Amino acid sequence: MSVKSFSTVTVATVLIFFLKIHLSLQAPLNGSKWSYIGPDGEKAWPNKYPFCAGVFQSPIDFHEDILQYDSNLVPLEFIGYDVPSTDQFTLINNGHSVKMYLSPAMSIRNLPFEYTASQLHLHWGNRNKSEGSEHTVSGKHFAAELHIVHYNSEKYPDVTAAMDKADGLAVLAVLLEIGPFNPSYEKIFRHFQNVRYKDQKVLVPGFNIQELLPDRLDEYYRYEGSLTTPPCYPSVLWTVFRHPVKISQEQLLALETAMYCTESDDPEPLEMVDNFRNVQEFHERLVFISFHEGFVVSVGIACILGVLIILAVAFWLLKKKSSKKGGEDNRGVIYKPGTQKEEEDISKM
């Protein structure tokens, strides 16, 4: 073999090698199998999806040691979120969650870029353990969690192009807990019976998606993280609202029991439960918060109250000591009759 032929073969071999690596990394996007439990469960994700074992992974636990107040965090601006009922969303069971595609006229601002809405979906537990949120607060799980996914429409044409870029996505997260019946969430939940099995779809009349968010939109956690499902790209700017939204026990039960991960003709249907990823390591990152309340104010108030109590006790002890000293001085005084003084005054008259 000539040197020229050898060089050509070598170059071709190297190109094929790198092409295989590239295709192996991209293959998961074309529908590789994964699940939350079993042989294709969370522990096996990194085998097919290398980013799942990487850095900047989500979800995380919000605890005092990693929180830092940022005065630059302002409430988000919601554009086009009030969708008329004449428009329709598509709700689908994708085998991992229930997902609703959103209007491209919806977007959010007051972030580094403007982000256009793509879809929303939910994560939940099971009927015996309603602790299905992905993010936790000081180790506490909530009943479920809603994610509203947006992509950077200033730089990328669609969510597919944006999802593997460092500045590609912005996700809003709402923590859900048990409380009174929620009519806004029912606008989605009432359709679960029509998407019981994988790949089933139903149309949902438009409504104001902002109704799904908490009343206090100015208080939230903000950090850089990842998709919580494969391929786990570290491309998400997370906004997790501090205040949970309440749904009823009956609504939560409907979420936990209505759907299956399998298709309608599967002889062994698999319930769609516990579809949340475990909390990930938070390697030397900070979570920025938009609020002073909580642990910051609690510590401040505690310090102020502590100082006031100490001053009050010190004042009381000082007063008691002074009172005691005054009593002792009075007991040491000898009072004499004024007879001699009076006799001297009389003699001078």
Side-chain angles (χ1 to χ4, degrees):
M1 180 183 292
S2 66
V3 174
K4 185 177 181 181
S5 299
F6 178 78
S7 299
T8 302
V9 171
T10 303
V11 170
T13 303
V14 171
L15 287 174
I16 291 171
F17 174 73
F18 281 108
L19 181 61
K20 284 183 177 180
I21 291 177
H22 177 74
L23 290 175
S24 69
L25 289 175
Q26 294 302 316
L29 290 177
N30 297 322
S32 290
K33 187 178 178 183
W34 64 271
S35 65
Y36 286 96
I37 57 173
D40 298 309
E42 187 176 333
K43 290 183 179 179
W45 290 0
N47 298 334
K48 296 179 181 177
Y49 310 93
F51 285 104
C52 295
V55 295
F56 291 90
Q57 290 297 291
S58 298
I60 61 169
D61 176 59
F62 301 121
H63 55 277
E64 184 176 331
D65 293 342
I66 62 172
L67 304 183
Q68 180 173 304
Y69 173 70
D70 185 350
S71 60
N72 295 316
L73 295 180
V74 296
L76 296 174
E77 182 183 356
F78 298 90
I79 310 298
Y81 258 55
D82 191 357
V83 178
S85 59
T86 51
D87 290 353
Q88 293 180 314
F89 304 116
T90 298
L91 187 70
I92 182 173
N93 177 336
N94 67 0
H96 303 296
S97 181
V98 58
K99 178 166 69 172
M100 192 169 81
Y101 293 100
L102 300 174
S103 167
M106 294 172 53
S107 64
I108 50 176
R109 294 175 182 165
N110 289 345
L111 290 170
F113 303 94
E114 182 168 340
Y115 292 80
T116 294
S118 174
Q119 50 97 349
L120 63 77
H121 60 270
L122 292 132
H123 300 271
W124 59 88
N126 64 74
R127 72 186 79 188
N128 298 316
K129 191 175 184 181
S130 297
E131 296 181 354
S133 71
E134 296 205 301
H135 291 91
T136 59
V137 179
S138 298
K140 175 190 174 183
H141 272 277
F142 292 81
E145 185 167 332
L146 171 76
H147 291 164
I148 307 179
V149 181
H150 304 71
Y151 70 93
N152 182 346
S153 50
E154 288 189 29
K155 295 183 68 173
Y156 310 107
D158 53 45
V159 69
T160 303
M163 67 185 301
D164 63 345
K165 309 300 189 301
D167 57 359
L169 303 178
V171 178
L172 309 183
V174 180
L175 303 169
L176 302 179
E177 63 182 11
I178 297 172
F181 177 82
N182 191 315
S184 297
Y185 275 78
E186 192 65 16
K187 293 174 183 178
I188 298 174
F189 288 14
R190 74 175 76 152
H191 298 281
F192 286 166
Q193 294 302 316
N194 298 314
V195 291
R196 288 177 63 80
Y197 299 99
K198 183 181 178 183
D199 295 331
Q200 289 185 334
K201 302 177 183 179
V202 66
L203 296 177
V204 176
F207 64 96
N208 190 350
I209 298 298
Q210 195 167 331
E211 294 176 5
L212 304 175
L213 306 180
D215 293 332
R216 293 294 302 272
L217 298 175
D218 59 325
E219 297 190 355
Y220 55 82
Y221 306 91
R222 169 72 52 74
Y223 77 100
E224 294 182 359
S226 74
L227 299 172
T228 63
T229 59
C232 308
Y233 292 135
S235 57
V236 179
L237 183 62
W238 282 94
T239 300
V240 182
F241 292 106
R242 182 191 182 201
H243 298 282
V245 169
K246 292 179 170 56
I247 60 175
S248 70
Q249 181 70 64
E250 292 73 21
Q251 289 177 303
L252 180 62
L253 186 62
L255 179 63
E256 294 168 341
T257 60
M259 286 163 288
Y260 294 87
C261 300
T262 46
E263 296 177 353
S264 58
D265 58 352
D266 196 299
E268 297 181 0
L270 179 64
E271 276 192 302
M272 189 181 290
V273 294
D274 298 325
N275 61 346
F276 61 92
R277 189 186 191 188
N278 289 312
V279 167
Q280 303 296 298
E281 293 288 336
F282 199 68
H283 299 287
E284 298 181 1
R285 284 181 282 170
L286 284 176
V287 174
F288 297 99
I289 56 175
S290 65
F291 51 90
H292 275 303
E293 289 82 3
F295 78 93
V296 176
V297 172
S298 297
V299 170
I301 291 175
C303 291
I304 293 171
L305 288 176
V307 171
L308 290 175
I309 291 171
I310 292 171
L311 289 174
V313 170
F315 179 76
W316 179 77
L317 290 173
L318 186 62
K319 186 175 181 182
K320 184 176 180 182
K321 185 177 180 180
S322 299
S323 175
K324 185 176 180 182
K325 186 176 180 181
E328 290 174 350
D329 291 344
N330 289 339
R331 285 194 298 272
V333 174
I334 300 174
Y335 293 94
K336 295 181 179 180
T339 307
Q340 185 177 353
K341 174 74 173 174
E342 290 174 358
E343 289 176 352
E344 290 175 356
D345 291 340
I346 293 171
S347 65
K348 291 179 181 179
M349 293 178 64

